[in-house]
Amino acid sequence: MNDLHYVSPDEAVRLVKSGDTIVVQGSTSIPQELLRALTRRAHELRDVKIISGFGIAAEDAPYAKKEYIDSFRALNIFVPNCLRNAMKEGTADTIPCFLGEVPGLFRSGIVPVDVTFLNVSEPDDEGYCSFGISADIAFSGAECSKTIIAQVNKYMPRTFGDPVIHVSKISAMCRVDEPIVEVPTPTPTALETKIGNYIAAEIPDGATLQIGVGGIPNAVINALSNHKHLGLHTEAITDGVLPLIQKGIIDNSLKKILPGKSVGSLVLGSRQLYDYIDGNPDFVIRDVAW
């Protein structure tokens, strides 16, 4: 589409008003430039709440500093790395709940949402952008927002499932081609490997997996190389599953829900993983409540 109207990040965030609640897309696709631009408006905004879910950023959240406490308040569903220092300093709060409950809080109005910040793919020929690697709470946030502000990013993979939005639904778009954060796969320790072997021995052929993040989940994945017909229906899709998929160990053939598809709510890992899922119909990304 050649007739799209892009604005600068500073112009885009002028749509935010004092008292608004903002949901920020997470995983490794946090729309960082929008947050930087919002922070530059600190002197003219008051009582803006910023809700984050699971996320891994390349830098600390710029708005969550003591000097901005009257302007912004960081609310964490799942404390991301970029807000851990703010938690220690008392400039961020945690909302204690399960990640899967968050879309219901938005949709019911218990947690009202005014604005969602997104980091999306380039629009296709029909004007649809993909949320790419992060549906989790971003999909429901956008669904419930009056205002949607998006970074359009050539590095964002295009995925199948829930996370798609038409440009007509986006209130302001800015072009920010910022590489997606990559997360190295941790090498399991000897103890984690031993634990992983015990867990893998309890997993039958044909089982469907929900996989976490860290050393022990990766140790379990490494120990599944002799299994057959495994399925994937998980919160996070990580690099560890790629060898199992490429070898046909995860084939999703016996799943009852979306057979033949690897299902996740977010993706985090290497550029190799992002490229592998880009336009790949074997992967489906869904709202975390689903």
Side-chain angles (χ1 to χ4, degrees):
M1 299 185 72
N2 297 321
D3 56 347
L4 297 176
H5 178 61
Y6 292 104
V7 300
S8 69
D10 290 282
E11 186 175 349
V13 301
R14 295 204 66 79
L15 296 175
V16 177
K17 305 181 300 297
S18 291
D20 277 350
T21 296
I22 303 171
V23 171
V24 178
Q25 187 174 6
S27 185
T28 51
S29 57
I30 295 170
Q32 204 67 52
E33 193 56 45
L34 291 178
L35 294 176
R36 297 180 191 120
L38 182 70
T39 304
R40 291 193 285 270
R41 289 194 62 206
H43 64 286
E44 57 189 73
L45 291 171
R46 290 294 180 269
D47 192 31
V48 174
K49 299 176 180 66
I50 303 173
I51 298 177
S52 300
F54 178 84
I56 297 177
E59 60 185 56
D60 277 355
Y63 55 87
K65 297 179 180 178
K66 288 182 178 179
E67 59 262 39
Y68 304 136
I69 195 70
D70 293 330
S71 301
F72 307 117
R73 191 67 183 180
L75 301 175
N76 304 294
I77 304 296
F78 192 123
V79 183
N81 69 333
C82 58
L83 285 166
R84 289 174 188 166
N85 287 330
M87 289 290 293
K88 293 176 184 177
E89 295 174 359
T91 57
D93 297 316
T94 295
I95 301 173
C97 64
F98 291 112
L99 192 62
E101 295 174 335
V102 177
L105 297 178
F106 295 162
R107 289 169 176 143
S108 67
I110 293 173
V111 177
V113 179
D114 301 296
V115 182
T116 295
F117 282 2
L118 298 177
N119 190 355
V120 299
S121 73
E122 296 176 310
D124 63 17
D125 291 340
E126 296 180 350
Y128 287 93
C129 300
S130 172
F131 291 32
I133 58 177
S134 171
D136 46 88
I137 69 169
F139 180 75
S140 55
E143 179 185 297
C144 298
S145 290
K146 306 176 188 73
T147 302
I148 298 171
I149 304 173
Q151 294 183 185
V152 176
N153 187 351
K154 71 179 183 181
Y155 294 106
M156 181 61 69
R158 181 172 294 279
T159 56
F160 292 83
D162 284 332
V164 175
I165 187 169
H166 195 266
V167 293
S168 62
K169 303 293 185 182
I170 300 175
S171 309
M173 296 188 298
C174 52
R175 188 70 194 227
V176 182
D177 291 326
E178 193 169 58
I180 307 300
V181 173
E182 296 185 54
V183 180
T185 301
T187 300
T189 64
L191 178 58
E192 289 169 339
T193 298
K194 191 171 184 179
I195 293 170
N197 289 335
Y198 280 128
I199 295 171
E202 299 297 320
I203 298 174
D205 289 340
T208 296
L209 307 176
Q210 139 63 32
I211 299 170
V213 178
I216 291 177
N218 278 290
V220 176
I221 292 170
N222 292 343
L224 293 173
S225 59
N226 293 318
H227 281 63
K228 298 176 182 177
H229 305 304
L230 297 177
L232 189 65
H233 188 114
T234 183
E235 174 195 0
I237 296 175
T238 63
D239 277 84
V241 303
L242 270 185
L244 299 182
I245 291 170
Q246 292 168 334
K247 294 174 183 177
I249 295 166
I250 292 178
D251 63 9
N252 298 294
S253 61
L254 300 181
K255 286 172 59 182
K256 304 301 182 186
I257 297 173
L258 291 183
K261 306 291 184 182
S262 291
V263 181
S265 179
L266 57 92
V267 182
L268 69 158
S270 67
R271 189 68 232 181
Q272 179 188 7
L273 176 63
Y274 304 149
D275 290 342
Y276 190 82
I277 69 166
D278 185 20
N280 189 336
D282 292 336
F283 290 83
V284 174
I285 306 299
R286 286 289 174 93
D287 174 2
V288 69
W290 189 90

